[in-house]
Amino acid sequence: MSDSEGRALWAAVERMIAAFVRRGSSGEDFEALTLRALRWQRAQCPALDRALAAVTLSSKPIETYGALVGLPVEVFASARIACFLPEQTQRTFLTSGTTGDVRGAHAFASLGLYEQGALAMGSRYLLTAPRYALVYLAEAPEANPHSSLSAMLEMFAARQALEFADESGALWGIREGALAAEVVREALVRACAGTRPVALLGASFAFVHLWDALGEGWRCALPAGSVVMPTGGFKGRSRVLAMSDFFDEITERFGVARADIVQEYGMTELSSQAYEAHREGVAPGRYVTPPWMRIEAVDLETLEVLPQGQQGLLRVVDLANLGSCVVLQTADLGVVHADGVEVLGRMRGAAPRGCARAVDAMLSEGRG
Amino acid sequence: MSVARGLAWLDVLRGAQVRDALVDAMVEDTGVSRAMACWGLERLLARADASSLENIAARGDLQGQRAAVALATSVATAPLRTVLVLVLRGAREIALGVREGSSRTARVLARLSDAGADLVRVTCAVEDTGVWLAREVTAGAGCVVVFGGDARVARLRGGVPSGVRFEGHGHGMGGAWVGQETLGDWERVRALAWDFAAFDGVGCLSPERVWVEGSVADCVVAAERIGRAMAAWEGEMARGVLSAEWRVRERAWRAQTAAGAVSFVGERAWSVAVTERPVAAMGARNVLVHPAESTESPESLRGEGRGGAAQWFGAHREVFTTVVGDAGTWGALEGALGGCHARRSVPGEAQDPALDGEADPRPSVR
């Protein structure tokens, strides 16, 4: 962030993340910070300003948190939503898309906040053991630098490598556009013979491709403390599984309990993630957010925030999204409960999306 | 003979109770206001003058035949117009295929069979429209009519055997092409805006975008004028009710369009955006304005060559295009549209075509 306001906002979010890590409070006023960040972003990014003005039908700034509206995430597919110059771009993540789709692009001048937030949330809700054998059903970032999922998984691996000098790194199970099923199988068999817990993380549909490749009867028993994170659901796939069936298959195939399966709610257009926190007593299927992120259900018509327990369209306020837009309107339906957010799926008529869809398309093509 | 049957149908449609039932059905099917549905019905009936009926009946190309009509989910006067024209052309039985729970208008028409015009049958082709059409053809339908987007029309056309007449309705693209002479005349601008406002911009014949002869700056001026006219129409005949899901889609569309637009003006029920990029249209009284070098130059319509044109006109180019234009520009337009069958209209009449007007759709026999 090149100007003083941008730097001040960045520092405020860093303080929030740091406080979360030490389980303390940063004292930052979330709502005031949101309005301040959005005002700054609209001044930096004319496309964002025009888009929000078209939604609010007003060019006036949003003065109160109650009047907040989110930028529809679809805008990332049609305009550069970035609060910095194109030549300052360090990394761009692309949304999934099949042939003919226009893919959304989320540009970053720095992944600093993204990384701090992802590591803080990951170690709180996902990778809670000191050390894991990391098996990823995803492409390595070198092979797919535009995948936000790959980038986040690489951050987890890099931190573990930093903490344990003898760490050999993660195993990336998707190579040259195809699932390296035998390599994954060998890694899992090897891990099952040891005691180090496994973190098996990747796009949901890659799990299905793995099972298809390994055959109906293939099973293993992951060591105690292992965790499985499928992300992305089955929207618009060639094969659709009910989530309950999917979880049953994970528990059966990998010898883990439902409590060892942790789902993540994130998207390319965001910089932060929400996680299931059932290992901390929250009901499964409900996502918790860090202090710098809020997920709210809004009325489809008025966009006003709904009371807890009412179904609405999910709006995400993500203060780590300082380089683009801190308030995003998704097309996901959900319900906010006292202990977390329940995601019900895409609104009727909305195009399926999600990183797992890209993996599915790629693997399906690979299989001819 | 067929004129007499057509007149009998019209008499039925003109009955007060039937009109009320049809208007209610159209409101429910499309979400347009009651006033708009009344306007559509009145204009259709007004267009059914003796001369038009005679002209259509003179074609006599469906004498004694059965016809199968696959309707789109949300249609207003299309079933009425279609049945009337098919009757005039001599069809003795007409099957309307609709999705379960849709097209109340078609069901009203079927009920009218008891009122002296025993020729319309409605089937809920819920399983698969292609399967339903194949069954109708096997049962002897000599003419298949399909409404929908160009991909649907192309798909269903592919399943119709040779020797059966196939007619597709819908639009890959509907556009207006106007020069400065139109934009300088407020009444013509109002008429142009009506083409976008009528049936709330979701009709089969609704145009989606305006090409303005001149620079981007000219487009911005034009957009403001068109916007004023859209606002005026909103005051006179307000947009109907969009479903909550459509409102969500509209907000996202507006944000997307405005983000990349040169200018964007709008209120809750209409908008006008100037953009140089080919963006998909939204309809629902959301108008796109694009610059065009010259009304004399077909190339300026094509954008980036044929690939660009395909984006505007639809990938399959099966379905005719509604073109609103100044009379002098039509020649250039037809050149630009290439193989696409264009239907011409002067501003203000895009959605109020003559019953016996230019071929709608492009007839074909497979």
Side-chain angles (χ1 to χ4, degrees), chain B:
Chain B
M1 173 66 178
S2 62
V3 171
R5 293 176 75 204
L7 286 170
W9 249 104
L10 285 167
D11 280 345
V12 172
L13 298 184
R14 288 193 170 109
Q17 278 189 323
V18 172
R19 284 161 80 138
D20 279 352
L22 286 171
V23 166
D24 287 347
M26 282 192 277
V27 169
E28 189 171 302
D29 284 345
T30 65
V32 300
S33 69
R34 198 172 165 74
M36 183 66 77
C38 284
W39 173 83
L41 183 55
E42 293 306 324
R43 289 308 305 160
L44 174 64
L45 294 174
R47 288 293 197 180
D49 54 63
S51 151
S52 297
L53 301 188
E54 293 286 351
N55 286 341
I56 298 167
R59 290 167 63 184
D61 54 344
L62 299 179
Q63 283 305 335
Q65 290 192 27
R66 289 163 59 114
V69 183
L71 292 171
T73 307
S74 168
V75 285
T77 56
L80 285 62
R81 168 183 287 269
T82 303
V83 168
L84 179 59
V85 170
L86 291 173
V87 167
L88 290 166
R89 288 165 63 189
R92 68 173 163 78
E93 186 183 349
I94 299 158
L96 299 178
V98 299
R99 289 190 193 145
E100 186 72 60
S102 72
S103 195
R104 206 177 135 209
T105 312
R107 286 164 225 274
V108 172
L109 285 182
R111 283 206 302 276
L112 299 184
S113 293
D114 298 334
D118 186 14
L119 50 87
V120 177
R121 176 164 52 86
V122 170
T123 309
C124 294
V126 287
E127 75 284 22
D128 185 295
T129 307
V131 172
W132 174 78
L133 281 176
R135 245 192 336 256
E136 289 295 324
V137 169
T138 304
C143 177
V144 167
V145 182
V146 171
F147 285 83
D150 61 355
R152 171 180 150 101
V153 171
R155 179 172 59 81
L156 294 175
R157 179 194 184 96
V160 173
S162 59
V164 174
R165 181 178 293 271
F166 181 90
E167 301 175 356
H169 293 259
H171 64 243
M173 186 281 291
W177 177 255
V178 294
Q180 295 300 325
E181 71 210 58
T182 290
L183 294 166
D185 180 338
W186 173 243
E187 284 309 313
R188 293 179 81 177
V189 172
R190 262 178 63 83
L192 178 67
W194 175 249
D195 289 333
F196 290 88
F199 292 117
D200 293 352
V202 294
C204 291
L205 307 179
S206 295
E208 299 166 335
R209 53 189 94 232
V210 184
W211 278 277
V212 169
E213 182 185 30
S215 65
V216 170
D218 292 326
C219 286
V220 172
V221 173
E224 284 167 1
R225 287 178 69 79
I226 294 167
R228 279 206 302 280
M230 294 299 290
W233 282 120
E234 178 61 16
E236 291 182 40
M237 199 175 290
R239 187 172 78 171
V241 180
L242 289 188
S243 69
E245 287 82 6
W246 267 85
R247 284 282 296 142
V248 171
R249 286 183 57 187
E250 181 183 59
R251 273 197 299 266
W253 182 89
R254 286 183 173 188
Q256 271 190 288
T257 305
V262 177
S263 80
F264 180 92
V265 291
E267 294 294 341
R268 190 177 184 283
W270 62 270
S271 75
V272 186
V274 176
T275 167
E276 293 181 275
R277 298 193 307 168
V279 295
M282 174 73 206
R285 300 194 180 188
N286 292 287
V287 183
L288 291 164
V289 175
H290 309 295
E293 283 173 23
S294 161
T295 53
E296 301 299 316
S297 164
E299 289 304 320
S300 63
L301 250 184
R302 291 204 177 111
E304 297 169 6
R306 281 304 210 196
Q311 290 183 67
W312 298 114
F313 302 147
H316 300 278
R317 314 190 78 189
E318 281 281 340
V319 185
F320 78 97
T321 301
T322 301
V323 178
V324 182
D326 302 326
T329 67
W330 282 334
L333 277 172
E334 285 185 350
L337 293 167
C340 215
H341 185 72
R343 179 185 148 275
R344 304 168 180 182
S345 165
V346 296
E349 294 187 7
Q351 303 199 59
D352 179 24
L355 207 58
D356 60 339
E358 277 188 286
D360 167 18
R362 172 176 42 180
S364 64
V365 179
R366 292 178 59 83

Side-chain angles (χ1 to χ4, degrees), chain A residues 8-281:
Chain A
L9 289 163
W10 181 281
V13 180
E14 279 191 325
R15 283 195 295 275
M16 294 175 98
I17 298 172
F20 175 75
V21 170
R22 64 170 192 274
R23 296 183 184 255
S25 169
S26 67
E28 299 290 345
D29 181 332
F30 182 89
E31 296 186 359
L33 207 55
T34 299
L35 291 170
R36 199 174 131 200
L38 190 60
R39 198 159 39 240
W40 176 78
Q41 289 177 323
R42 291 183 75 163
Q44 304 296 313
C45 179
L48 170 63
D49 189 52
R50 287 194 298 271
L52 287 176
V55 174
T56 59
L57 296 172
S58 168
S59 56
K60 292 179 185 166
I62 295 167
E63 300 285 2
T64 65
Y65 194 85
L68 206 61
V69 296
L71 177 76
V73 292
E74 293 88 342
V75 177
F76 283 84
S78 64
R80 183 177 181 274
I81 301 297
C83 302
F84 50 89
L85 298 171
E87 55 268 31
Q88 294 175 308
T89 303
Q90 295 287 321
R91 191 81 173 264
T92 300
F93 296 142
L94 299 179
T95 60
S96 61
T98 52
T99 307
D101 285 353
V102 178
R103 300 174 71 179
H106 190 185
F108 289 82
S110 163
L111 283 176
L113 287 181
Y114 191 114
E115 183 169 15
Q116 291 174 51
L119 292 175
M121 280 295 278
S123 59
R124 175 75 63 91
Y125 295 108
L126 181 69
L127 305 175
T128 53
R131 196 172 185 188
Y132 289 89
L134 298 170
V135 181
Y136 295 157
L137 300 183
E139 283 187 292
E142 303 81 55
N144 188 356
H146 299 303
S147 163
S148 57
L149 175 64
S150 295
M152 184 180 78
L153 297 180
E154 172 63 13
M155 288 167 189
F156 294 156
R159 179 154 94 170
Q160 187 163 292
L162 196 66
E163 290 181 7
F164 302 96
D166 62 343
E167 189 56 56
S168 58
L171 181 132
W172 297 88
I174 297 178
R175 298 170 180 187
E176 296 176 357
L179 178 71
E182 190 54 28
V183 174
V184 174
R185 190 191 67 80
E186 283 175 12
L188 292 175
V189 167
R190 209 166 39 245
C192 288
T195 56
R196 183 187 295 186
V198 172
L200 178 58
L201 319 177
S204 298
F205 214 83
F207 283 81
V208 179
H209 284 282
L210 179 66
W211 298 332
D212 287 348
L214 296 181
E216 187 67 32
W218 191 85
R219 302 281 185 281
C220 71
L222 297 179
S226 293
V227 64
V228 179
M229 184 191 80
T231 184
F234 297 99
K235 301 151 292 189
R237 306 299 141 57
S238 52
R239 191 172 146 195
V240 176
L241 288 182
M243 287 312 284
S244 57
D245 293 342
F246 181 59
F247 293 147
D248 286 348
E249 189 137 9
I250 288 178
T251 56
E252 199 179 316
R253 291 272 193 167
F254 301 118
V256 295
R258 169 66 180 92
D260 300 320
I261 305 169
V262 176
Q263 296 186 93
E264 172 236 25
Y265 180 74
M267 58 185 74
T268 304
E269 298 87 345
L270 292 173
S271 298
S272 301
Q273 304 80 34
Y275 283 96
E276 274 187 306
H278 45 71
R279 293 191 292 190
E280 299 203 350

